[in-house]
């Protein structure tokens, strides 16, 4: 089992979760984070740190977001590790409450 970053992280990219990860499993993309399933040790310390509740245990990922499990694995191979907290994206607060972010991004 691993943990998965889901749609809620998109366009927010809060990095509170990064500092608590004991194995540096997070990877940073342009507008959200992912977790490398090969590095994740299933400790769950990142889950309560996420201010938008974007992180789930793999078996608990909502059905309509299950594709994020494979997306995390795929993007983790391409994106660089992030090991320290950074400022969130400038418009993070505006995107924080949007639930269907993928639809909004395609507009």
């Amino acid at each position: 089992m691993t943990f998965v970053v889901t749609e809620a992280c998109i366009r927010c990219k809060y990095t509170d979760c990064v500092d608590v990860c004991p194995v540096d499993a997070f990877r940073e993309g342009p507008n959200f984070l992912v977790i490398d399933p090969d590095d994740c040790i299933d400790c769950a310390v990142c889950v309560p740190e996420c201010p938008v509740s974007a992180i789930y245990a793999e078996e608990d990922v909502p059905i309509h977001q299950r594709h994020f499990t494979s997306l995390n694995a795929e993007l983790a191979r391409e994106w660089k590790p992030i090991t320290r907290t950074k400022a969130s994206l400038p418009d993070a607060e505006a995107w924080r409450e949007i639930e269907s972010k993928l639809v909004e991004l395609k507009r």
Side-chain angles (χ1 to χ4, degrees), residues 54-73:
I55 304 171
Y56 292 87
E58 185 174 12
E59 70 271 3
D60 296 331
V61 173
I63 243 171
H64 65 283
Q65 294 194 45
R66 293 268 163 97
H67 59 285
F68 277 92
T69 303
S70 59
L71 187 62
N72 273 237

Side-chain angles (χ1 to χ4, degrees), residues 18-90:
V18 172
D19 270 342
V20 299
C21 182
V23 294
D24 299 333
F26 283 89
R27 304 294 179 261
E28 180 181 23
N31 65 6
F32 74 109
L33 304 175
V34 297
I35 295 173
D36 187 331
D38 294 331
D39 289 346
C40 181
I41 59 170
D42 310 324
C43 67
V45 297
C46 59
V47 176
E49 298 301 317
C50 181
V52 293
S53 302
I55 304 171
Y56 292 87
E58 185 174 12
E59 70 271 3
D60 296 331
V61 173
I63 243 171
H64 65 283
Q65 294 194 45
R66 293 268 163 97
H67 59 285
F68 277 92
T69 303
S70 59
L71 187 62
N72 273 237
E74 177 186 331
L75 295 174
R77 290 190 295 271
E78 299 174 20
W79 292 351
K80 295 187 188 301
I82 177 172
T83 59
R84 299 245 186 256
T85 300
K86 293 182 175 182
S88 58
L89 294 176

Side-chain angles (χ1 to χ4, degrees), residues 11-14 30 87-95:
R11 296 292 307 188
C12 291
K13 199 165 80 169
Y14 294 105
S88 58
L89 294 176
D91 57 351
E93 284 302 311
W95 282 88

